Amino acid sequence: MQYHLLGKSTLSVSEIGFGCMSLAGSDVDNARLIHQAIEQGINFFDTADLYDHGQNEVSVGKALQGHRSNVVIATKVGNQWRADGSGWDWNPGKAYIISCVEASLKRLQTDYIDLYQLHGGTLEDPIDDTIAAFETLLQQGKIRYYGISSIRPNVIREYVQRSHIVSVMMQYSLLDRRPEESAFPLLLENNIGVLARGSVAKGLLVNKPAAPYLNYSAEEVAGAAAAIRQESTPERDAAQTALRFVLQQPAVSSAIVGIRTPAQLEDAIRAVSAPALSDSELAALRLAVPINKYEQHR
């Protein structure tokens, strides 16, 4: 396993991160899978208080008991479940964030969170108050670092300019190269790490039938998937090729992969040791579909 420092932080995170949202087994099953991931070198585990009404944090917390000093725990805040359970509302308020950390710490069975992330964000938010909440939690020692999970270039710029974020989680794949134009250069310049999610575009680059995705037609999606297959080799299958495309982007610190089964875990692990894409292979993939750009929130 390869490791990278996450932005300006001292957190050394595995090149493959474990996206815990996909966990769907019992606590025992989830723990078995998480322990297998740790044995394979994965040390970064990402969850959120939103997932399964907090039960995802509970299951992850149980699994990581006894491993706390060897892992990096990331969770997220900002989405508030309604009392009737019908859905959630966006709440980036200072008081809400500060109150939520206590519940996450309890569910995760830990005294501190390594990376606390704002689970979204808009320009209409009270951004300075939101930042003040994270800074307060830093001073209290309840979190070690903070970041945001956002695909909005205008929101990302505000946090780069006004806060001490060390990371941004965002979607990135061959079928979603929007960050290349709007975010990656800024984040590289400011030494802020990228946690990339959606590396296989919901499976469309690997094993799912072609369908429209973002601004791409089904035909264009099929072309991208065909290019991934074309550049795959016996030593690097389609999923690993799609992941290598993401991991070889200099801005990316870790690819966060949703893992639900041992087979998915092994696929993700093999991407780390798979042969790197050559310059010509990368160029061929980039030419497979027209690059897309953010049309909103610029």
Side-chain angles (χ1 to χ4, degrees):
M1 180 62 67
Q2 302 295 317
Y3 300 87
H4 303 287
L5 283 177
L6 185 60
K8 297 183 285 281
S9 80
T10 60
L11 301 174
S12 180
V13 299
S14 49
E15 207 168 40
I16 297 294
F18 195 121
C20 298
M21 183 178 71
S22 296
L23 290 171
S26 66
D27 289 344
V28 172
D29 291 336
N30 291 345
R32 184 180 299 113
L33 189 59
I34 285 173
H35 295 163
Q36 289 173 358
I38 293 172
E39 290 168 4
Q40 298 277 4
I42 290 178
N43 76 340
F44 185 86
F45 296 87
D46 177 77
T47 180
D49 61 6
L50 179 70
Y51 302 159
D52 197 18
H53 294 262
Q55 289 306 302
N56 193 269
E57 285 184 328
V58 170
S59 194
V60 171
K62 289 179 179 178
L64 293 179
Q65 288 302 293
H67 299 273
R68 185 64 186 95
S69 61
N70 300 316
V71 297
V72 176
I73 297 177
T75 191
K76 309 182 198 75
V77 65
N79 291 296
Q80 183 173 16
W81 281 103
R82 298 178 192 132
D84 62 3
S86 63
W88 62 84
D89 299 304
W90 179 237
N91 188 345
K94 181 178 179 179
Y96 179 68
I97 291 172
I98 289 176
S99 68
C100 282
V101 78
E102 300 296 341
S104 285
L105 288 169
K106 183 176 181 180
R107 287 190 291 262
L108 290 163
Q109 299 185 51
T110 183
D111 296 327
Y112 64 93
I113 292 164
D114 295 292
L115 180 67
Y116 206 32
Q117 302 161 100
L118 184 67
H119 204 172
T122 74
L123 288 185
E124 289 69 47
D125 295 345
I127 292 176
D128 288 331
D129 284 347
T130 303
I131 294 169
F134 286 109
E135 292 290 338
T136 296
L137 296 175
L138 276 176
Q139 293 165 11
Q140 294 174 345
K142 294 175 181 176
I143 66 174
R144 293 181 65 194
Y145 298 97
Y146 66 96
I148 62 172
S149 176
S150 177
I151 61 171
R152 297 184 174 192
N154 53 11
V155 171
I156 292 169
R157 282 196 301 271
E158 290 300 314
Y159 278 88
V160 170
Q161 294 166 7
R162 296 157 69 172
S163 77
H164 297 106
I165 59 170
V166 300
S167 64
V168 177
M169 181 176 285
M170 63 176 66
Q171 185 167 285
Y172 180 62
S173 72
L174 181 60
L175 282 171
D176 190 354
R177 293 173 58 201
R178 296 175 296 177
E180 291 182 14
E181 179 249 352
S182 62
F184 286 172
L186 175 68
L187 298 175
L188 272 172
E189 179 183 347
N190 288 274
N191 193 18
I192 294 169
V194 171
L195 301 170
R197 59 178 177 82
S199 302
V200 295
K202 297 183 177 179
L204 292 169
L205 287 172
V206 181
N207 52 18
K208 287 190 176 178
Y213 184 77
L214 300 177
N215 60 302
Y216 293 119
S217 66
E219 291 74 19
E220 288 173 318
V221 168
I228 290 284
R229 291 193 298 273
Q230 178 67 33
E231 302 305 330
S232 299
T233 68
E235 296 79 28
R236 190 186 62 226
D237 67 18
Q240 292 148 22
T241 298
L243 272 169
R244 291 295 334 160
F245 179 84
V246 170
L247 290 171
Q248 288 178 228
Q249 164 58 245
V252 172
S253 301
S254 181
I256 312 304
V257 180
I259 297 171
R260 186 178 301 213
T261 67
Q264 290 172 341
L265 172 62
E266 290 304 315
D267 275 345
I269 291 292
R270 283 198 295 268
V272 175
S273 57
L277 292 162
S278 66
D279 289 345
S280 62
E281 288 171 330
L282 285 168
L285 290 174
R286 291 183 182 121
L287 290 172
V289 287
I291 188 169
N292 47 0
K293 296 183 178 181
Y294 287 111
E295 301 298 334
Q296 297 178 315
H297 311 296
R298 295 184 61 89

